[in-house]
Amino acid sequence: MGSSNLWKRIISELSKAMEIPTIRRNATKGRWFSACSMNNTIVINGSKVNKPSSKLKCARKINEKEFIEVYPHYQPWKDGKESRVFMQELSQNTSYILALINHFEEKSTPKIS
């Protein structure tokens, strides 16, 4: 799935807020955050239900341009070819974008048994 199509799918599915965990390269879960879409933007807040929650002083917003800039770096990061430092230079919201990509791409990828 391409970045624009995934963005559209995420925006559509986040019309109702959802809690998602951040991820680490070793696939363990990190801190939880709440995400919802509003006016073609993803709004990130700390989780209200799941713990531990991300600690945010105020809501973060992710626009399509920022998402599309981070998207091609997801697989290289996951494969250990790009560092967390490099990823953080792309966006202050990298952890949330990576978690969204992981959640929604994994959800749409058929499992082969």
Side-chain angles (χ1 to χ4, degrees), residues 27-62:
T28 60
K29 293 179 182 177
R31 296 187 175 273
W32 288 82
F33 64 95
S34 172
C36 67
S37 63
M38 191 180 327
N39 300 323
N40 204 41
T41 300
I42 298 171
V43 180
I44 304 293
N45 284 293
S47 69
K48 298 199 182 333
V49 177
N50 294 289
K51 304 291 180 216
S53 174
S54 292
K55 295 178 177 129
L56 299 169
K57 292 180 183 175
C58 60
R60 299 237 184 138
K61 294 182 180 177
I62 300 168

Side-chain angles (χ1 to χ4, degrees), residues 71-98:
Y71 179 84
H73 301 280
Y74 169 72
Q75 195 60 50
W77 171 80
K78 194 172 178 182
D79 294 342
K81 296 175 183 168
E82 292 188 358
S83 71
R84 179 60 112 184
V85 173
F86 171 78
M87 296 300 286
Q88 288 173 332
E89 290 173 0
L90 291 173
S91 164
Q92 69 175 1
N93 295 316
T94 301
S95 293
Y96 306 112
I97 295 170
L98 294 174

Side-chain angles (χ1 to χ4, degrees), residues 15-26:
S15 60
K16 182 178 178 189
M18 178 184 300
E19 291 193 358
I20 299 169
T22 58
I23 58 163
R24 297 184 179 112
R25 209 181 329 237
N26 63 5

